[in-house]
């Protein structure tokens, strides 16, 4: 029962992401009908926009729980978006993906905490979306150089 509830919530979250993608794309192609916009998936799960009304448009999608957020953009200016709910039980997983340099950056700005760790995680995941690798890339390649508040 618990697993099926999780799967249903995940399905709803995924659907919200796709709906937000269609709305974001519609902002760029205002004469396109939402029903004419199709979001396929690439080999690493990245979204691929199919719509006869627009060319060279991409979208970045994130979803978590009851939130779905997307940004549509011309492919000449790639973008990525990510959001993550701050969860205390995620700290060990996230800390394993944050370099010593990134930890020192967070200490410098007094954000050496779960909020700071999650922010670095989100930045890395958004960058992985720009590169279209998703979580398949070694996070060392996505290391944050500097942080500003």
């Amino acid at each position: 029962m618990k697993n099926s509830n999780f799967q249903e919530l995940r399905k709803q979250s995924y659907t919200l992401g796709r709906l937000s993608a269609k709305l974001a794309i519609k902002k760029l192609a205002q004469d396109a009908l939402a029903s004419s916009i199709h979001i396929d998936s690439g080999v690493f799960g990245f979204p691929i926009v199919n719509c006869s009304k627009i060319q060279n448009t991409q979208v970045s999608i994130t979803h978590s729980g009851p939130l779905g957020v997307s940004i549509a953009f011309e492919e000449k200016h790639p973008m990525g978006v990510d959001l993550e709910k701050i969860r205390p039980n995620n700290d060990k997983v996230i800390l394993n993906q944050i370099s010593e340099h990134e930890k020192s950056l967070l200490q410098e700005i007094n954000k050496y905490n779960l909020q700071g760790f999650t922010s670095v995680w989100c930045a890395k995941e958004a960058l992985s979306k720009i590169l279209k690798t998703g979580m398949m890339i070694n996070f060392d390649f996505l290391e944050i150089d500097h942080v500003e508040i």
Side-chain angles (χ1 to χ4, degrees):
M1 180 75 139
K2 191 175 187 180
N3 191 29
S4 67
N5 188 35
F6 173 78
Q7 289 173 337
E8 183 59 32
L9 291 174
R10 184 75 178 141
K11 187 176 176 182
Q12 289 174 1
S13 177
Y14 177 87
T15 301
L16 281 172
R18 290 303 203 243
L19 176 59
S20 72
K22 283 189 172 203
L23 293 173
I25 294 163
K26 196 152 171 34
K27 289 287 188 183
L28 292 179
Q30 295 178 353
D31 60 335
L33 297 173
S35 61
S36 72
I37 301 169
H38 301 282
I39 313 295
D40 293 325
S41 293
V43 68
F44 294 125
F46 56 86
I48 298 173
V49 177
N50 286 316
C51 179
S52 61
K53 297 283 185 180
I54 54 172
Q55 302 298 317
N56 304 319
T57 297
Q58 296 184 17
V59 67
S60 181
I61 302 171
T62 186
H63 50 89
S64 180
L67 298 174
V69 176
S70 299
I71 185 167
F73 51 91
E74 293 180 17
E75 68 182 348
K76 67 182 175 183
H77 189 100
M79 297 184 207
V81 64
D82 189 55
L83 64 87
E84 190 73 40
K85 184 175 181 179
I86 297 174
R87 295 184 181 106
N89 58 341
N90 282 355
D91 62 343
K92 289 184 177 116
V93 172
I94 291 174
L95 274 173
N96 284 334
Q97 300 301 323
I98 296 177
S99 71
E100 292 304 317
H101 173 70
E102 291 164 334
K103 290 174 186 175
S104 69
L105 291 173
L106 292 173
Q107 286 174 330
E108 289 174 16
I109 62 169
N110 296 320
K111 290 293 181 187
Y112 193 83
N113 55 35
L114 191 53
Q115 180 185 7
F117 306 150
T118 304
S119 295
V120 169
W121 173 275
C122 286
K124 288 181 165 197
E125 189 163 350
L127 179 55
S128 76
K129 290 176 181 182
I130 292 170
L131 299 173
K132 296 188 179 183
T133 62
M135 307 303 278
M136 304 296 289
I137 192 170
N138 183 323
F139 264 30
D140 291 343
F141 292 110
L142 306 174
E143 185 175 56
I144 305 297
D145 181 54
H146 70 277
V147 178
E148 294 179 25
I149 293 186

